[in-house]
Amino acid sequence: MTTYQEFIQQNEDRDGVRCSWNLWPSSRLEATRLVVPVSCLFTPLKERPDLPPVHYEPVLCSRANCKAVLNPLCQVDFRAKIWACNFCFQRNPFPPSYAGISEVNQPAELMPQFSTIEYIVQRGPPTPLIFLYVVDTCLEEEDLQALRESLQMSLSLLPPNALVGLITFGRMIQVHELSCEGIAKSYVFRGTKELTPKQIQEMLGLMKPGVSGPHGQPLAPHDAAASCRFLQPVQKVDMNLTDLLGELQRDPWPVPQGKRPLRSTGIALSIAVGLLEGTFPNTGARVMLFTGGPPTQGPGMVVGDELKTPIRSWHDIQKDNARHLKKATKYYEALANRAAVNGHSIDIYACALDQTGLLEMKCLSNLTGGHIVMGDSFNTSLFKQTFQRVFSKDYNGEFRMAFGGILEIKTSRELKVSGAIGPCVSLNSKGSCVSENELGVGGTCQWKICSLSPSTTLALYFEVVNQHNAPIPQGGRGAIQFVTQYQHSNMQKRIRVTTIARNWADAQSQIQHIEASFDQEAAAVLMARLGVFRAESEEGPDVLRWLDRQLIRLCQKFGQFNKDDPSSFRLSESLSLYPQFMFHLRRSPFLQVFNNSPDESSYYRHHFVCQDLTQSLIMIQPILYSYSFYGPPEPVLLDSSSILPDRILLMDTFFQLVIYHGETISQWRKARYQDMAEYENFKQLLQAPLDDAQEILQTRFPMPRYIDTEHGGSQARFLLSKVNPSQTHNNLYAWGQESGAPILTDDVSLQVFMDHLKKLAVSSSA
Amino acid sequence: MICDEWRSRGGRDYRQVAVTSFLADDVCVHLSVKGCQPRFRDELKMNVNQQPHMASPYGQPQSGYQGYQQTGYGNQHVPGGYPTPYAPYNGPASTYQPGPPQGYSPYASFSSKALATNLVSDLSSPSPLDLGMRGPPTSGPPPVSGTQAYSQFGQGDTQNGPPPMAALQQRPSVSQQYTHGTMQLSGPQSSFNQPFGAPPTSMQQMTNQMSGMQIGSTVPSPAGPGYAPPTVSQASASAAYTPSAPSSFAPSSAVHSQPLPPDSVAQTAPQPFYGAPPTPPQPFPGAAPPFSAAGPAQPPAPPLGSQQSFSQAHPPSQPQFTSAPPPVSTASYGGPPPTTQASHPRAPPLTSQPSTFSGGPPPTSSPSQYPQPMPQQPPVSQPNPFHSGPPQPTTAAGFPPQGGPPLRVPHPGVQGPPMTSQGPPTSQTNHVAPPQPGMLPGPPPVNMAGPPAQPSMQGYPPQQNGAFGQVRGPQPGYVGQYPGQQSYVAQPPAQAPAPAPKRLDPDSIPSPIQVIEDDKLNKGNEPFVTGVRGQVPPLVTTKFQVKDQGNASPRFIRCTAYNMPCTSDMAKQSQVPLAAVIKPLATLPLDENGPYIVDHGESGPIRCNRCKAYMCPYMQFIEGGRRFQCGFCSCVTEVPPHYFQHLDHTGKRVDCYDRPELSMGSYEFLATVDYCKNNKIPQPPAFIFLIDVSYNAVKNGMVAIVCQELKTLLDYLPRENPNVASNIRVGFVTYNKVLHFYNVKASLAQPQMMVVSDVADMFVPLLDGFLVNVAESRVVIESLLDQIPDMFADTRETETVFGPVIQAGLEALKAADCAGKLFVFHSSLPIAEAPGKLKNREDKKLVGTDKEKSLFQAQVSFYSNLAKECVAQGCCVDLFLFPNQYVDVATLGVVPTSTGGSIYKYTYFQGQADQERFLNDLRKDVQKQMGFDAVMRVRTSTGIRPTDFFGSFYMSNTTDVELAGLDCDKTVTVEFKHDDKLSEETGALMQCAVLYTSCSGQRRLRVHNMAVNCCTQLADLYRNCETDTIINYFAKYAYRGVLNNPTKNVRDSLINQCAQILACYRKNCASPSSAGQLILPECMKLLPVYLNCVLKSDILHPGADISLDDRAYLRQLVSAMDVAESHAFFYPRLLPVHKLNVEGNALPVAVRDSEERLSKGGVYLLETGLNLFLWVGANAQQELLQNIFGAPAFSQIDPNMTSLPILDNPYSKRLREIIESFRAQRSRYMKLMVVKQEDKLELIFKHFLVEDKNNSGGASYVDFLCHMHKEIRQLLS
């Protein structure tokens, strides 16, 4: 038997699943006492180069409310050609095509290594991918130029048969018709008036068959190609569109002194959504919003156009002083839901020095699986490369994106699903496996994930419903099946089925086993997602208190200690890192808004709830590498004590890559020793972190902010704010002089945090 | 033949006379007095004597006439006689001329007189005349002659008529008027002076008139007679006066004769008279005394009264009379004398006419008379009762010459004659009345109804019937009037019967053509100098040059009255509308300078501190030039130092003639930034073309035509300096149920189209590139215009929007922060879902009901609100409609008509056939000079104020007329009301200031100043009116009225007001005449015919075939018409082109709009201002057809042709030239339609023959005149 760590790793590699507990308590009561719920992180499209898709339809359980897919856990009677569903125990005959089935001739889905299997199915006509650019023209000329180039470049990255559309907006919204010769046509909308989807479609001439557009050609509403003059194959309108983008002008309406440009982002998006809704419902499509500032007029407006009124801050929000916040949020939520229902995702590329209203607009991406990219300017490599990376391809030469995913969960009887947290919306599908207690987005066993990437990861929470007095037979296993239907970027419809099973354990007698099966990384991320999810709707301190209480309860449950004796407190290895994760989580921008704008918080949270476990962990507890002459680069504690004069530090927080040169190194560098032949090794030392950083940059989406700083540099704050402030101005001298750099903060350090935790955990009154 | 001769003579004579009379001034008077008085006296005496005689029988009158003629002229019963007499008279007497002069003078000074004749003719003659007219045909020669005679007279009448009228009028107000008149005349007179041969006559006339005035009506008649008889009569009158009421009169006479000047007139005595005059009774009394003094005649006096009227009426004839008159006076005098001694002479003639009219007299006398006249005149004349009438009166002998006059005379003569013949003059007057029936019925008359009954009268009845048949009305009227005359009547009755039977002769009633031609002759030859206050300008139909010497040219401002009543009581009494028709940016002929531009520097134009009137010639500089006193409000304002200038010894500034604002009636100031919106110098204006590209518009070819045309038309945008490119920017929009804006920025490789589907909430999708400079963006624009027709060639969209289209243009202008003009090319009812959506509400069943007004009202209030916004932005909207069904013009037109725009409508537009008309309209509309974002304000002297405005504009308060756009064809009619007294010394001043942005973006103020006289005597008012302008006002007033009142009420109130105007005149200025006589002021003698045209117009009296859209269209069209266009619109010009003289430039004299005037062998061109018809008679000569159409036969003429073939013969060339020149005169291109006689198109053509009855029941001129007469009589009784 391998260790749990290996087991976990193996399962993750095969199924893209990380469970908080790898042994499940057998009753509801026990489960709730474990503090961390039975849950898992699931990466639906986890890249499986070794997994060839099969070209046939999955075999489904014939019970109407089950419809589980045939999987390796099923009991099969090869002679009778019958299989028993492991979820509902329904006995199903194999379809005729399985006539040749035998113990030695099994279909792939019955083989244990195919607990995850992908089917390619034929469902309706293949529909091309759709990319609808929604471009803000209220930009500085320089920015606009950069954006123009990026967009033009992107045309070459699109699949040739992909449909593209262009909507530009500023004070007005222009929907460009792409297939016209001789005269460039566009439909124009004003940015202040909310329109119903029906109106939008009418105004774009997409309604009613027989109604003619300006050309007088009748429009067949469902003949996609003909119906939409606004969405055309790239290969056909490449030149036109390139010219059009080239002629894209800054919004011509004058912006008076002291005013913001009028930016009708809200209406522009509603038109984009309306357009797709009317032409390509339930087809994979990306609305890509490029905006250079906050919406300033119409519905969805985030801030007025008076510059003297600053955009809302956390302070304003807490004081309930953000007058547009609720309205705008509600508006964008409605929009996001509409897009999600139709399987369209919305990306937001916001590049501005000030906030752009991501707080209000985040749901657009959160609910539809879109990307959010935040930068200072379109004319930065951060944006340019990030945008380029959207169109990156995998080893098969296919785009790392999939559309219109629907994730359905089936559980064995002892389990019910409570909810999901991730870039998805509920499809409100009630089934026998839906729990009444919601965690995250619950009340359903189906979720829509409009856009999926290989790293898109959902947190799924379950509830053990087996009653305490109904013991599970020995050797019984709980099973969960994940059925993900999606549109592959090559236009194929695919279904990926993952079926996992875990053993039941009696918490009374097998608590140690359960404890050992604890996956503290997954648990930290799962708890963090719950925390972030709560933070969206609750006050920050409440969330922290909730997290603390959970941590304390967990420590009380699994810690070994003597009552009221903090020093006696011990945690087993499987839990040892968990408090530290929680400590950093408490300090993370996902829960702390101090020093972050609402937009930044939204941005961070957005990425946190859709990245996989590894990335999430980096976000919770950044990684710190140290480079020195004393040895190879090594990971070091994320602690102020790691900040030493003769080290170069590389910190990866997911969002930032910070290279920090210690005081001495910095002085050497200033003295330009690296340019001297005899100090080649110093040069190499300087180069090493850069190379490593580059490696990270290459793979990360979105591109992290790259910061090269040194001791005393202003940018060093990125590092200083992350490390555990073990040395502060308060205790600097108490800890002796030998190492580290003091952090000017009143934050508690990990040591203090742990002390308190121990005290509380052992306290009999807690 | 004779008749013709007469006519011609009479006419000419009259004219001459008129001229002389005009010319004659004080001087003339003197002369005449000296020279003529004696005669007059004698004549008077004679008259008196005669009258008595007259009184007894016609014979006497006749004899009198004869005598007159004879006496006066010596011998001549016959025309021949005239000549001689004329010679003497004319030359010397001018008296002869006077006759005409009277007419003229009356015209000029007493325009009313002429009318009077008409009236007379109408009234009295109506029956007789008609009889004559109609009779002629039937009766054959006699009638004919009669008619002819009439016609002659008629025309002559006008002349004559006027005189009489004048006389009458004069009387009442005469004294004053005279003075005024003279005063006024002085202007003209000066010129006249030269002619002076006539002077005497004029003098006489004057005196006569004066005396007449004083005397009562008599004088007038004298005036009429003045001509020939006048002198005599006058002489007599004066004599009589002097004798009769020497003291009082003396002064008056003295005054009159010499002092004539109003002042003199003012004489207390006279005034009283005058004052009295107003009321018939009084005048009479006065007159009577005089008469009595006159002696014998006086008895006739009463008749005189009546006669006077007649006489006045006759006056026209007077000219003739002059020749004849004299005789008449002598002879007839006997009869007339009574009427007015002096005037009577004429009066008699007049009376005689009346009598003729009355028919009553004619009857008896008429026969006899007629015979006489007839002989004199063409035999025909004789046949006519009228002729007979007149002739009779005049007596064949004297009258013959009169014959010319006779015609009129006939009427008058007839009456007169009748008078003479029957009940002497008195009867004559009555005659008129007697006319008959009235007379006879007189008693019965009262029974207006009676008239009909009167028929029993036989003679009368018939006449009445005949003439008035329709005339009856009039007759009644006559009757009504008659009552007093009854006595006469009694006599006439007997007589009447005979003559009575006839109808009113159309030739005897005032003829527009005659008036127009007379005016051309009299005023068309020399420049109209505006320096003198209160001059009546030439008619709009006359070609003349204007010299601006301190008052605005009539091309800019025309007033209904150039002599305003001093008090509101007077104004109310007269009911004459006081209005000015202002065309602020009128285009002037090439030989006249446009307004000079004045720059007063940074501080802006100098203005009165209190009323803010702009510096103008009416500002009086005082204190050595340091201050000026405002002519409007009398406030004294400091002269700014930079504007200071010394005064010369007369109190004028030394630099007066260097500064347009001190010496001109019209000029422009450069406005400073204070006069600009938001205190910002305005941007150059913009033109936006909005083109409907729905199915209908594409299919009928409009889209292609517009796009093609715009490519070239854009080079001709208005500019101030022809050498510089226009500053006007252009923009393009197409639409069906959505709008397409185009970005045609010069830097673009191809145009960009921006579709705005959100029509519910219109906005402009682009800022930069929508409005562009044509030169810079030419390539892109051309590419766009090339592509538009192709882009929409296959459209199947049939729904359109309209409200959002205008909103779009408006928003575009707002965004560009400039004023401008929208050209909307629209095809159908906007039923697409959008603001301003309309539903089809065409419901002909509502026509004629109380709900009819709703058809003229907008369907929704959306457009009026939109219009308000447009005006605020200076967004003028021109609408070109291409409907093939109901489009609700009433609603669509709201915005254009509120923003100073125009509506053009091309129903059933067909690319090929209608392209020319549309393109010409479009070109004109695009190219014409215009101002933008204009505000007009009219300031007036204390005492009156502008109270009502008509035209295409918007008013947000009661004083400022806001015009988003104001082009050179737009006219605003302003009505004034008294709020205090005006003074005669200062007159009434008005200043119309228009602040606008020129097409180059310059802000300017155009100022027009106008000063008119003020009067305390109604006669002066009536002498200085302009009927065309009054009609313009009435039409606009009525057309607005239909919005809120049932059409019938509007018609009734129009008729009522006119009746009041005429009744007031009759009562106060022509009182001595017989009640049965219709007496029209000279200046208003066409009022009935024109009014009838207004009443018959499609708006007020729709036929079954006219669509609601057309009515709404015409209604809105008329609301901004100037006088020239409204004139042609209501009384189309009908030109007998077969009489075309290929050699010269002259046009053939137009003929009256009546089918009777069309000759089967002729070809006529009819111009309505909107359409041209070429009517081809079935018997037109082959050569003519060949020349015009290149078609050998009538049957081969293609009735569908829209332009004449270009043939290389002088006739064809000339005709085409004429057509082109007509088109050039109008603001809209007139499509030519060829109408073949008996063809189905003829129905449309006949619709424009406005003197005839029309299909929908509109009255003929004659009928309407009778009706008016009835109304007037009712008012008087």
Side-chain angles (χ1 to χ4, degrees), chain A residues 172-174 177 180-193 195 199 202-205 208 210-218 244 247 249 252-254, chain B residues 736-738 740 742 745 747-768 783-784 787 790-792 794-797 811 815:
Chain A
M172 313 271 172
I173 295 99
Q174 276 178 271
E177 199 176 308
C180 33
E181 295 294 325
I183 192 165
K185 285 185 206 167
S186 57
Y187 283 63
V188 187
F189 298 80
R190 73 190 316 167
T192 51
K193 189 181 167 192
L195 300 167
Q199 281 176 312
E202 261 175 19
M203 289 178 184
L204 290 175
K208 291 184 270 177
V211 170
S212 50
H215 273 289
Q217 295 140 349
L244 201 55
E247 279 188 355
Q249 297 296 316
W253 301 87
Chain B
N736 37 46
K737 74 178 186 187
V738 299
H740 320 119
Y742 295 94
K745 204 157 126 179
S747 61
L748 294 176
Q750 61 182 27
Q752 292 178 350
M753 170 181 179
M754 303 191 159
V755 184
V756 173
S757 323
D758 186 7
V759 289
D761 193 5
M762 206 55 222
F763 63 99
V764 179
L766 74 174
L767 184 61
D768 197 18
S783 151
L784 170 67
Q787 289 188 57
D790 295 340
M791 267 193 291
F792 300 100
D794 303 321
T795 185
R796 289 195 224 159
E797 182 58 71
E811 294 298 325

Side-chain angles (χ1 to χ4, degrees), chain B residues 388-421:
Chain B
S388 68
Q392 293 175 350
T394 52
T395 66
F399 280 121
Q402 297 172 346
L407 294 179
R408 299 179 178 177
V409 174
H411 309 300
V414 174
Q415 298 172 343
M419 304 274 298
T420 57
S421 66

Side-chain angles (χ1 to χ4, degrees), chain B residues 401-467:
Chain B
Q402 297 172 346
L407 294 179
R408 299 179 178 177
V409 174
H411 309 300
V414 174
Q415 298 172 343
M419 304 274 298
T420 57
S421 66
Q422 298 178 343
T426 52
S427 65
Q428 295 175 347
T429 50
N430 296 327
H431 296 316
V432 180
Q436 342 191 345
M439 297 302 286
L440 297 177
V446 178
N447 322 325
M448 296 309 291
Q454 296 173 355
S456 65
M457 296 308 290
Q458 298 180 345
Y460 283 110
Q463 292 179 345
Q464 296 174 346
N465 296 340

